[in-house]
Amino acid sequence: VVWGQTIFTAIFKKAFEDQFTFLELFSLSLAGWILPSSLLSVLLFIGVFLFGEIAAIVIFAIATGVFISTLFVWKLNRVSLLTGLILILSFAFFLTLKLAFLRNIILPSYFDSAEHYRIIKYFVGYYELPSNDLPLSNYYHVGFHLLSASISYFFDLEIVDTILVFGQAMLAILPFSLFFIVKRETGSNAAAAFTGLLAGLGWHMPSHLMNWGKYPALF
C-alpha cells in the first residue's frame, strides 16, 4: 500500500504541481494506491508465469528503484511531516480497532469466504508451480485475489491470515480517501476530517464489517 501510494503521489504531485494541498494529495493517494499496486501484482504474476521466480526478483528490484526515485519528488516540510504523522497514527487507531474483532474469526463470515480462499490459493499455485496453461477458471474481483495471492506467496503468509488482515486494512484506509472529495467540494478541512471520522467509526460497512460484504468489491 505504501509503495503504491508513494508512486501515485509522486505522479500526481508532478502532474498537478501545487494545485493540491498535502492533505488533499495524501487523501487522493490513499484512494489511488491500488492502481500501481495492482499493476505490480499483475506483472509479478505474468513474470513468474513466463520466466519463473527470477522474474519476480527483477521486478521487485525495479519496483524498489522506482520507489526510491519517487521519494525525491516529495518536498515535505515540517508541517506536512507532522500532518502525515497524525494521519498515520489515526490509521493505526482505526486498524487496531478492526483487528481486535478478528481474534476469534476463522474466515470472514460470509457464505462465499471459502470460494475466495479457493481462488487465491489457485493463483498462489501458479507462483509455486508455473504451468503452460493460462488460468481460465471462473473468478471475479481479480484485483483483490491477485494482490492477496502475491502478498501471501512472497511474504510467506497463510492465505487466511492475509485475507482477514488485508481486508480490514482496506476498510481502515477507506475513510481517508473520502477526505479529498469533501475538501474539494466544501473547501473545509474540518468538514472533510469529520466525514472521515464518520466513515471510520459511524458507517456500518467500513466500521464494523468482518465479512466479505464485500471488501473485495471495494477494489
Side-chain angles (χ1 to χ4, degrees), residues 179 189-199:
F179 181 96
N189 283 330
F194 184 64
T195 300
L197 186 65
L198 286 178

Side-chain angles (χ1 to χ4, degrees), residues 17 48 66 108 125-126 129 141 151 156 161:
E17 297 181 349
V48 173
V66 171
Y126 270 83
L129 294 171
H141 302 318
I151 292 171
D156 194 26
D161 295 337

Side-chain angles (χ1 to χ4, degrees), residues 107-187:
L107 276 173
S109 52
Y110 208 70
F111 70 93
D112 59 350
S113 294
E115 177 66 6
H116 285 287
Y117 175 91
R118 184 194 67 79
I119 295 170
I120 294 170
K121 187 174 179 61
Y122 172 77
F123 283 124
V124 169
Y126 270 83
Y127 280 122
E128 295 172 343
L129 294 171
S131 68
N132 295 323
D133 298 323
L134 287 171
L136 298 177
S137 175
N138 293 324
Y139 56 82
Y140 56 107
H141 302 318
V142 66
F144 179 82
H145 294 142
L146 270 181
L147 276 167
S148 298
S150 299
I151 292 171
S152 177
Y153 177 74
F154 289 108
F155 293 99
D156 194 26
L157 300 172
E158 293 291 334
I159 294 175
V160 170
D161 295 337
T162 300
I163 59 180
L164 281 170
V165 176
F166 191 33
Q168 294 311 306
M170 295 308 96
L171 292 175
I173 288 173
L174 184 64
F176 293 93
S177 64
L178 297 176
F179 181 96
F180 178 83
I181 298 173
V182 179
K183 173 59 167 59
R184 299 298 290 186
E185 185 67 24
T186 66

Side-chain angles (χ1 to χ4, degrees), residues 8-59:
F8 191 90
T9 301
I11 292 172
F12 266 67
K13 192 173 180 63
K14 194 167 185 178
F16 296 99
E17 297 181 349
D18 297 325
Q19 295 182 37
F20 298 141
T21 66
F22 172 78
L23 276 173
E24 290 173 335
L25 201 58
F26 190 91
S27 172
L28 188 62
S29 65
L30 279 176
W33 70 269
I34 185 127
L35 296 176
S37 297
S38 294
L39 177 60
L40 178 62
S41 68
V42 170
L43 288 175
L44 285 169
F45 186 83
I46 294 175
V48 173
F49 178 80
L50 295 176
F51 305 106
E53 286 208 358
I54 187 66
I57 297 174
V58 173
I59 293 171

